[in-house]
Amino acid sequence: WGIGIRLKFSPQLFKYAPGNAPQLVAEKVTYAELMPNGQDVLYCAMRAKDSDLAQLIEDDITDLSAYDEKRQAEIQEMRSKMSEEEGLDPIFQDCYVITSAGTKKIQGAVVSAASLEGKSGFVVGYSMDEPQAVKLSEISSFDEALYAYYSELMYGEKQVFVADKAGNVYTLQDKGVDPTSIKVSNDGKIAAYFVQGERNGENVLMVKALDGKSEAVEVQKGVETISFLGDSEALAYFYNYNGGLGSVGLFAENASQEIAQNAVGFYTSTDRKEMFYLAGLDTTTGRGTLIQYDGKEKREIDQDVFSFQYKENGKLAYLKNYDINKEIGDLYYYDGKTTRLVDSGVTAIYMY
C-alpha cells in the first residue's frame, strides 16, 4: 500500500496508489507531510463551512419591549445580522492523519501541527478553545461582537497537545511548554518535554504518562538534551552543563538517578537501548573513558578517548591518544564487543 500527495493551487490534497487514479482527500489544505514511518500522512485543512454568525452572539434577550426605541433598533439590527446566511470565513483548521485504514481526525481548532520524529506516530501542535459567544444584552453593535471574537483569537491561551494517529489527544497543562522539545517513547506510553523555568528560563524536564489520568512529573532542572533509549521507556538526559562538562541522568520506572558527573559527548542510540559518553575527562588532554550504558550496567569500552562517532547497532569509531597540539591520534573501531586499531596519525572522524 502506498500514497502520494499533490497540492494544487486551490490548495487540494490528493492521494493515489500506483495504477489507480488520484483521489481528492481534502480542500483548503494548509499543511501536509509524510510522517517519519514513511507510510502515514499528516495534514491540516481549513474548515469547509463558514463560521455561523450566530456563534458570535448569544441572544439572551427575552423581552424586547423592556428597552427604549433606540436600543430596540440596535437589537433588531444585530438579530438581523445573525440570521444572514453568509458567515465569517473559516478561522480554524482541523488536523487529520491518513493511514492504510483510512483518514482520522486527530484534533480540531488547531493553530499549527507537525509529526514527531521516531516511530511513535504522534503529532504535536498548538490548539485553542473556540471563542465564547458574547451576550446580546451586553453589546450595542455587531462590530463589538467581531472585536471580541478576533481579540480572543489573537490573545487567547494556546494549548500544546500531543496526539496519536488513532485520535487520542493529550493536552500538556504545564505553562511554558516547549513544543520543539517533546519526545514520545516508541510504545506511545510516555511523553517527555521541557518547560521554561520561571526564574532563569532554564529547561525543566517533565515526564507525563499518556494514560489520560496521570499528572506530569518534574524530573530535573537545567537539562540540555533528552532521548529515550531505543524502543524502551527509559529516558536519558544530559544536565548541569558548565564549561564543557555535564551530568548524565536516567529516568526509568518512575524514578530518576544520576549516572555520571563531569561527562562529555553524551549520545543515545536510536536503534538500541544504549547511551555512550566520555567520563573522567582530563581537561588538559581532552581525553576520557568511553562508557557504554544500557540502563542497567556500565561497560568501559576504552580509556584515553578524545572523541567518538556512533555508526549503528552498537558500533562506533573513536579517536584515542589524541595529541591536541599535533592534532593527530589513533583511530579505533568498536563492533559492540571488541575494539581494534584501524589507523594511526588520524586527525578527525567523518562518518557516512
Side-chain angles (χ1 to χ4, degrees):
W1 180 83
I3 61 173
I5 305 173
R6 180 176 62 173
L7 284 174
K8 300 177 71 175
F9 292 111
S10 305
Q12 298 172 315
L13 178 65
F14 289 81
K15 72 173 183 178
Y16 67 90
N20 296 321
Q23 296 179 336
L24 177 64
V25 174
E27 300 189 58
K28 298 183 178 180
V29 175
T30 57
Y31 178 79
E33 66 163 289
L34 182 65
M35 297 181 73
N37 62 11
Q39 297 179 338
D40 303 328
V41 171
L42 165 69
Y43 77 90
C44 299
M46 302 302 294
R47 293 180 176 175
K49 295 182 178 180
D50 294 347
S51 299
D52 191 344
L53 295 181
Q55 296 177 356
L56 275 66
I57 303 174
E58 177 188 345
D59 192 343
D60 61 337
I61 296 176
T62 58
D63 184 6
L64 187 61
S65 64
Y67 300 91
D68 59 30
E69 291 184 2
K70 179 181 178 182
R71 179 57 176 158
Q72 288 184 21
E74 292 174 346
I75 294 171
Q76 293 285 35
E77 182 179 354
M78 288 187 287
R79 281 177 170 171
S80 175
K81 190 73 174 176
M82 290 166 62
S83 64
E84 292 182 0
E85 293 185 2
E86 182 180 354
L88 295 172
D89 289 336
I91 298 296
F92 292 106
Q93 57 182 350
D94 300 324
C95 287
Y96 305 80
V97 171
I98 306 172
T99 68
S100 59
T103 301
K104 181 75 174 181
K105 178 180 175 180
I106 58 169
Q107 181 66 310
V110 172
V111 179
S112 62
S115 58
L116 289 176
E117 294 181 355
K119 302 176 182 178
S120 67
F122 272 72
V123 172
V124 61
Y126 282 111
S127 65
M128 64 183 302
D129 294 331
E130 298 191 33
Q132 297 294 311
V134 296
K135 295 182 182 298
L136 183 59
S137 62
E138 297 176 353
I139 58 175
S140 59
S141 71
F142 192 77
D143 287 342
E144 287 186 34
L146 287 175
Y147 178 80
Y149 179 80
Y150 286 112
S151 293
E152 192 167 346
L153 285 177
M154 182 174 295
Y155 302 110
E157 184 176 355
K158 297 176 179 61
Q159 302 169 327
V160 177
F161 72 89
V162 291
D164 62 25
K165 57 186 180 182
N168 298 307
V169 180
Y170 308 92
T171 300
L172 305 182
Q173 302 290 350
D174 311 273
K175 292 184 178 179
V177 175
D178 177 4
T180 64
S181 70
I182 298 174
K183 296 183 183 297
V184 175
S185 59
N186 281 345
D187 62 9
K189 294 182 178 180
I190 303 291
Y193 53 93
F194 294 152
V195 297
Q196 301 303 307
E198 296 182 356
R199 293 185 178 180
N200 55 11
E202 65 179 354
N203 291 329
V204 180
L205 174 59
M206 307 294 294
V207 169
K208 179 179 175 62
L210 300 179
D211 55 12
K213 57 184 179 180
S214 299
E215 297 293 329
V217 176
E218 180 180 319
V219 176
Q220 179 66 51
K221 293 181 171 66
V223 178
E224 292 291 320
T225 184
I226 59 176
S227 181
F228 286 99
L229 294 184
D231 59 0
S232 74
E233 296 177 16
L235 179 72
Y237 53 95
F238 189 60
Y239 65 105
N240 289 346
Y241 183 79
N242 184 26
L245 302 175
S247 298
V248 177
L250 184 75
F251 182 83
E253 299 180 352
N254 297 317
S256 58
Q257 58 177 313
E258 184 178 77
I259 304 302
Q261 295 181 345
N262 299 324
V264 296
F266 171 74
Y267 182 86
T268 57
S269 62
T270 58
D271 55 358
R272 295 170 64 94
K273 301 175 184 178
E274 296 172 337
M275 71 172 84
F276 301 86
Y277 57 89
L278 295 180
L281 191 76
D282 184 328
T283 55
T284 301
T285 63
R287 304 175 191 172
T289 301
L290 179 56
I291 302 293
Q292 177 183 19
Y293 181 63
D294 63 3
K296 295 181 180 180
E297 297 181 0
K298 294 179 183 179
R299 178 177 182 178
E300 181 180 307
I301 297 176
D302 208 341
Q303 297 180 348
D304 291 320
V305 177
F306 182 76
S307 64
F308 68 92
Q309 283 198 25
Y310 185 81
K311 184 174 176 58
E312 61 184 2
N313 199 27
K315 302 173 183 178
L316 54 82
Y318 63 93
L319 285 177
K320 180 178 178 177
N321 302 324
Y322 193 82
D323 188 321
I324 58 176
N325 295 315
K326 297 180 180 179
E327 297 184 341
I328 55 173
D330 300 324
L331 175 63
Y332 280 77
Y333 182 73
Y334 175 65
D335 64 7
K337 295 181 180 180
T338 60
T339 65
R340 63 181 176 86
L341 177 65
V342 177
D343 200 359
S344 298
V346 178
T347 299
I349 304 172
Y350 298 94
M351 194 77 73
Y352 296 98

